[in-house]
Amino acid sequence: MNARVGHLHHVGLVVDDLDQATALYQRLGFRLQPPAYPVMSLQEDEPPKPFGAANTHIEFPRNFVELVALLGDDRPIPGNATPVPLQVPPAVRPRVLETIKRTVATISACRSRFEGLHILVFQTPDAEATGEQLRAEGVRHSGVNTVQRQLDTEDGPKRVPIRLLEMDDETVPEGRLAIAENPPSEILHAQRHLEHPNGALDLVESVLCVADTEVEDFERRYSRYLARPARRDGPARVFDLDDARVSILSNSGLATALPGEQAPALPAFVAYAVAVRDLEATRALLHGNGFPVMTTAGGDTFVPATAALGAAIIFREHSKRGVT
């Protein structure tokens, strides 16, 4: 297996209302971390206030699904939220603020397209080496930056530094694309909220839909990111990872793979898949909570995008997690 990218690090949805999104995902059978609200003093003599974007995670042992929402100027922090202080020395505050503002601008641009799935991050064991390899191949990216990830562990909340690089926005019309390292395994294994009522165990696929005339262009670009070729699987071009995959679907092939689905825009991330312990039990929970339940061309279960904040959620039997 190629060492550059081993698995999916996370996918992310940009949503309008984090509280409502959290409630919906709880009905889908996911257990979520308390929402994290970054707070920061914008001026040296000002008290900290919410700034940027708030998020919450559906955690799995080695990856996660993120729900993120922009913060309004007067939006109070909910009582169940975790404030995350961003302590920045005055000398570097302008640079940090500019970085956060660029991230907010990216998220805002994503939301202006549609509410739904906009973020795909791959996992790498070494962000620095990956960045050097990509740059040598002419792939434009941000260089390696460090961000803080909030994890809820058995010993309490922990802020863990994560190294990542982001692909250049101008070359990624489908959303926000990045490659990141995972926290140390001992911290991942100490996480709470890993047991989900729907039996979800792992994030195993991201599905990208593109115009029919652009499939080959996207395939070539992702081959450079992932340093491997795609295989053909019906209407999809599939990049196999470590017990996971990334699928590129033509717009005309989307309804075949995911009956009834339509892309909100082109190109767009339209779905992601999680492996579950017992698919029949998952289907029963979804039915019981009032969600429409459909079947993919490959026999998996999915909840349509119209019922899941703009992104279809595929539920796959754990034994099939990396199999078509």
Side-chain angles (χ1 to χ4, degrees):
M1 181 62 65
N2 185 279
R4 178 181 294 175
V5 170
H7 200 62
L8 297 176
H9 188 276
H10 73 274
V11 297
L13 290 88
V14 177
V15 301
D16 291 334
D17 189 303
L18 194 59
D19 292 339
Q20 292 180 8
T22 297
L24 185 142
Y25 262 73
Q26 288 172 336
R27 287 180 50 229
L28 284 162
F30 292 105
R31 191 183 303 276
L32 295 91
Q33 283 196 340
Y37 277 66
V39 295
M40 180 177 177
S41 299
L42 302 185
Q43 301 291 336
E44 189 171 357
D45 56 348
E46 287 184 354
K49 67 177 183 178
F51 179 69
N55 67 5
T56 183
H57 292 172
I58 298 109
E59 297 283 1
F60 305 116
R62 57 179 171 176
N63 50 31
F64 61 93
V65 175
E66 178 184 26
L67 304 177
V68 58
L70 294 172
L71 295 178
D73 292 338
D74 300 319
R75 186 180 180 88
I77 298 179
N80 67 332
T82 300
V84 181
L86 303 180
Q87 298 175 343
V88 181
V92 298
R93 184 181 289 117
R95 179 169 58 84
V96 172
L97 284 173
E98 185 59 33
T99 299
I100 294 174
K101 288 177 180 178
R102 283 200 303 269
T103 299
V104 168
T106 299
I107 295 171
S108 179
C110 289
R111 179 58 194 95
S112 68
R113 296 182 70 210
F114 57 89
E115 181 179 34
L117 196 60
H118 291 278
I119 301 166
L120 172 59
V121 182
F122 302 107
Q123 187 271 331
T124 181
D126 189 331
E128 198 70 50
T130 296
E132 291 176 2
Q133 292 169 6
L134 289 171
R135 187 172 286 111
E137 295 165 14
V139 177
R140 294 162 53 187
H141 61 77
S142 64
V144 177
N145 294 307
T146 300
V147 298
Q148 299 293 319
R149 178 177 168 190
Q150 184 86 3
L151 291 175
D152 194 5
T153 74
E154 299 296 339
D155 297 324
K158 289 186 180 295
R159 293 177 64 198
V160 184
I162 302 295
R163 300 200 308 165
L164 85 164
L165 58 88
E166 297 189 54
M167 304 308 172
D168 189 283
D169 287 349
E170 294 181 5
T171 65
V172 187
E174 63 269 32
R176 186 182 183 195
L177 196 63
I179 300 177
E181 296 177 0
N182 257 343
S185 58
E186 60 270 20
I187 295 179
L188 287 177
H189 294 158
Q191 289 181 96
R192 301 172 61 212
H193 308 302
L194 295 181
E195 290 295 322
H196 301 280
N198 62 16
L201 301 167
D202 196 11
L203 171 66
V204 295
E205 184 174 11
S206 176
V207 181
L208 171 64
C209 183
V210 306
D212 290 29
T213 57
E214 296 184 338
V215 171
E216 292 185 0
D217 290 340
F218 275 81
E219 179 182 358
R220 282 192 293 269
R221 177 152 61 84
Y222 275 73
S223 290
R224 295 173 71 195
Y225 297 154
L226 302 174
R228 70 198 72 190
R231 61 178 171 85
R232 298 204 176 199
D233 179 20
R237 310 289 174 91
V238 178
F239 292 91
D240 292 309
L241 305 177
D242 178 12
D243 290 334
R245 65 192 190 214
V246 176
S247 298
I248 300 176
L249 277 170
S250 64
N251 190 41
S252 62
L254 176 60
T256 299
L258 296 171
E261 290 298 292
Q262 295 182 337
L266 291 175
F269 297 113
V270 294
Y272 67 91
V274 295
V276 297
R277 185 177 291 107
D278 182 337
L279 189 57
E280 287 305 313
T282 301
R283 288 177 62 92
L285 180 145
L286 294 170
H287 272 302
N289 287 346
F291 287 97
V293 177
M294 307 288 289
T295 302
T296 72
D300 298 323
T301 290
F302 76 96
V303 172
T306 53
L309 297 174
I313 306 174
I314 304 166
F315 297 89
R316 179 172 298 146
E317 192 78 37
H318 182 57
S319 61
K320 292 176 57 184
R321 61 191 182 278
V323 180
T324 302

